[in-house]
Amino acid sequence: MWSSLSRCAPKIISRRTIRSFSKEIAPIDQAATSQAAATPKGSTFSQRLGAFMAGVALTATFGYVTLRRDIFEAAEGVESNIQSLHNDIILSGQTLSAKVADLEARIAKLEGK
């Protein structure tokens, strides 16, 4: 591979350039890797448990507020429906009373002839 590259661009890439780049990699320090392996990465169990409990508390609070608002809205909707039905019943009762009075007047008129 390097020979094909050196043939394509002999002035840019030479064996000396390749050798100098290959020596720039630093050797692995065994003490640093053992120290990094000894220290735990991430959070501890108590931190994770605390974060979980905070999430549960926040979600429960949000759920409670949302559920309470939904219940109050539903109760108001039921009350307005009951009031609407009450008004409809009163109106239909008045309409029926007017029809009965009209029919009684017509019957009295027919019997009077």
Side-chain angles (χ1 to χ4, degrees):
M1 178 177 152
W2 297 112
S3 60
S4 63
L5 287 175
S6 63
R7 274 187 264 142
C8 295
K11 294 180 183 178
I12 298 172
I13 299 176
S14 66
R15 289 195 184 273
R16 179 183 243 173
T17 309
I18 293 170
R19 229 179 245 146
S20 67
F21 282 123
S22 64
K23 291 180 182 178
E24 288 182 8
I25 299 174
I28 299 174
D29 185 16
Q30 296 296 333
T33 57
S34 64
Q35 184 182 11
T39 58
K41 294 183 178 179
S43 56
T44 63
F45 178 73
S46 61
Q47 289 173 335
R48 290 180 184 182
L49 184 63
F52 175 75
M53 294 306 285
V56 167
L58 183 66
T59 304
T61 302
F62 179 73
Y64 171 74
V65 168
T66 304
L67 182 64
R68 184 175 179 202
R69 187 187 67 223
D70 290 345
I71 289 172
F72 280 126
E73 287 176 0
E76 288 174 359
V78 168
E79 288 177 5
S80 67
N81 286 340
I82 289 174
Q83 185 64 34
S84 173
L85 287 173
H86 177 71
N87 292 339
D88 288 345
I89 289 171
I90 290 174
L91 182 63
S92 65
Q94 291 172 349
T95 305
L96 286 175
S97 296
K99 286 183 180 181
V100 168
D102 184 43
L103 288 174
E104 286 176 351
R106 285 178 59 191
I107 290 174
K109 186 178 178 183
L110 287 174
E111 287 179 353
K113 280 188 176 181

